[in-house]
Amino acid sequence: METSELMVWSCMLGGLMTMAAVAVADVLMNRSAAAWRGLVFVLLLGSSSMLLTSLPALWFPELPGWALLTLKASLGPLCAAVALNYLGLWLGASAEDRFLYYILNWGAATLIGIAVLLAYWSLYMAGDNPVELVEAGAFFSGVGLLLGLAAAVRAHVLGDQLARWMVLASVFLGATIVGLYSYALHPGWFGWRSMAVTAFCTVAHFLVVTAMAVRRNRQNRQLMRLAGLAQGADPATGLPTGSVLLSKVDDAFWRAARMHGKCTVVCLHLHNLYELGESAGHRVDQQILTAITARIRRAVGFRCVVGLYHPRCFVVVIAGVKQEELVERNVLRLRMVLSKPLNVVGVDAAFHIFTPRYGMGVVTVQAANADPVSVVDEAERKSWENAGSTPPAPATVF
């Protein structure tokens, strides 16, 4: 191997090792199934790419030729099968579109079977003609690439905006397959420029795939956050709502009852939440809720239960406190932090001053004999009375 070849393939190896280090760090930090899939993808496809450059044979000359031939013949189709499977998980549309289902699932299963057959052929039936095995591996790797490209194009047609970047990743992968298998079969055809292009396309494929995986994971987390309302969390503040909130209140009462203590439920009804809607735009409502949530948390700490009984009514549960002075101190801090005005940004990108106008209801009961729902309703009613307003009908638990 010439010096130019060694330099180019070593640079490609450095890029792949960097991607592998990033995947390992993701596994150590997140320990999720997606992180493990990313690590397996990088290691498997990276190993297959480096195997075709003949660097392993150069570094480990004692490796048996049959083992290298088996890996060269079977790793390509196996990587294609793994790529199709991961592409199906990334797209998330194979269960809805029959075309994608057959391409991704049946294509991956078929390529795994072909990889096993090629490994068997290389071990027992190859004879003295290893070129046919590598050519077969190259052919079926190309078939897997075409299946993945068709799936990405189909997903883009169905409306997935990120799928067009997977089309670009497929183009880079196609250049990688052509370049590496051509070098493995006919190394004399290649100059250092062709090797450099192949190395660039290999690393570029991994970069695009990794970037798209990060983008899709971010989208999925955002969708989970937006869908949190159905799971009992307010999407703007992340506070528990409805039955989830009541279950947390019930747990607080139960813990206080075990300690033979009292529970104090504070309801804060924000009367003018929608006051700036017409002048500053309706998006300021979420800013106000987020800011008020932060102020409440700063006032009572993270040991107290904080939630939203309904969009304008915050609930704070101070459980197990036996000294009334501590409860009064928390209530005083709540009044202080909530009375201060705050700045919000409207749709016109201008700052608007919002001065909270709220009513506060405080109910303290013996936790062992109290019903959480009744106590919260009583505290909400008092929050209306303290503001001089007529109490509404009982809040609907959602």
Side-chain angles (χ1 to χ4, degrees):
M1 181 178 290
E2 298 181 358
T3 305
S4 60
E5 299 179 41
L6 185 60
M7 290 179 59
V8 171
W9 299 138
S10 297
C11 290
M12 188 179 81
L13 175 62
L16 296 179
M17 291 182 66
T18 302
M19 301 301 299
V22 172
V24 170
D26 189 25
V27 168
L28 294 177
M29 289 188 297
N30 296 325
R31 299 182 181 180
S32 61
W36 280 104
R37 285 197 298 266
L39 178 60
V40 171
F41 177 77
V42 172
L43 293 179
L44 191 60
L45 193 56
S47 300
S48 177
S49 300
M50 294 310 304
L51 187 68
L52 294 173
T53 63
S54 300
L55 282 181
L58 178 66
W59 292 336
F60 308 102
E62 67 277 4
L63 287 176
W66 62 266
L68 292 176
L69 179 61
T70 301
L71 292 175
K72 285 184 179 181
S74 59
L75 268 187
L78 181 61
C79 289
V82 171
L84 286 179
N85 181 261
Y86 288 179
L87 181 61
L89 295 174
W90 184 84
L91 292 174
S94 59
E96 302 174 2
D97 187 77
R98 189 174 299 273
F99 181 76
L100 287 176
Y101 175 82
Y102 284 122
I103 284 182
L104 298 173
N105 292 278
W106 287 101
T110 303
L111 287 172
I112 289 176
I114 290 173
V116 173
L117 290 177
L118 288 176
Y120 176 80
W121 185 21
S122 65
L123 289 174
Y124 298 103
M125 303 172 60
D128 298 327
N129 193 8
V131 176
E132 292 184 356
L133 275 172
V134 181
E135 289 177 346
F139 173 77
F140 288 111
S141 297
V143 170
L145 168 67
L146 293 178
L147 292 177
L149 180 61
V153 172
R154 174 68 173 177
H156 178 64
V157 172
L158 292 176
D160 191 339
Q161 297 299 318
L162 293 183
R164 57 183 176 181
W165 294 103
M166 277 303 177
V167 175
L168 177 62
S170 299
V171 173
F172 282 132
L173 183 59
T176 299
I177 291 175
V178 172
L180 290 177
Y181 275 105
S182 298
Y183 177 81
L185 292 170
H186 307 283
W189 291 2
F190 261 53
W192 69 270
R193 292 180 180 84
S194 301
M195 298 176 193
V197 172
T198 302
F200 169 79
C201 292
T202 303
V203 177
H205 169 74
F206 281 99
L207 288 174
V208 174
V209 170
T210 302
M212 290 303 101
V214 171
R215 287 281 300 276
R216 183 51 53 86
N217 289 337
R218 187 181 298 121
Q219 287 184 346
N220 290 334
R221 287 194 297 269
Q222 183 179 9
L223 291 176
M224 290 177 63
R225 183 180 64 83
L226 293 176
L229 185 61
Q231 302 174 6
D234 177 69
T237 61
L239 295 178
T241 61
S243 59
V244 175
L245 170 62
L246 293 178
S247 67
K248 290 182 177 294
V249 175
D250 194 14
D251 290 340
F253 276 37
W254 177 79
R255 291 194 303 269
R258 292 188 61 186
M259 300 170 59
H260 305 287
K262 296 180 180 181
C263 272
T264 298
V265 176
V266 182
C267 278
L268 302 164
H269 196 283
L270 196 60
H271 294 280
N272 61 336
L273 173 62
Y274 306 113
E275 188 177 69
L276 294 178
E278 295 184 1
S279 59
H282 295 290
R283 70 174 63 178
V284 300
D285 303 343
Q286 294 187 353
Q287 298 180 43
I288 294 171
L289 289 175
T290 303
I292 296 298
T293 300
R295 290 184 176 188
I296 292 175
R297 279 297 186 190
R298 187 178 63 181
V300 301
F302 287 89
R303 295 184 61 184
C304 299
V305 175
V306 180
L308 274 177
Y309 198 41
H310 54 76
R312 291 190 295 178
C313 183
F314 291 87
V315 176
V316 180
V317 181
I318 307 171
V321 178
K322 297 183 179 180
Q323 300 179 5
E324 296 182 0
E325 293 81 4
L326 297 179
V327 176
E328 294 176 357
R329 196 177 304 165
N330 282 330
V331 173
L332 180 61
R333 280 200 297 265
L334 281 172
R335 292 186 181 276
M336 290 177 60
V337 298
L338 290 180
S339 299
K340 298 178 181 179
L342 59 94
N343 292 327
V344 294
V345 181
V347 293
D348 54 355
F351 285 96
H352 299 263
I353 298 178
F354 175 79
T355 302
R357 190 171 66 253
Y358 63 92
M360 180 179 289
V362 182
V363 177
T364 301
V365 294
Q366 287 290 341
N369 304 319
D371 176 37
V373 179
S374 301
V375 175
V376 173
D377 285 340
E378 177 66 16
E380 183 200 21
R381 186 184 63 81
K382 286 189 174 183
S383 69
W384 277 87
E385 289 179 351
N386 292 339
S389 303
T390 303
T396 302
V397 177
F398 53 90

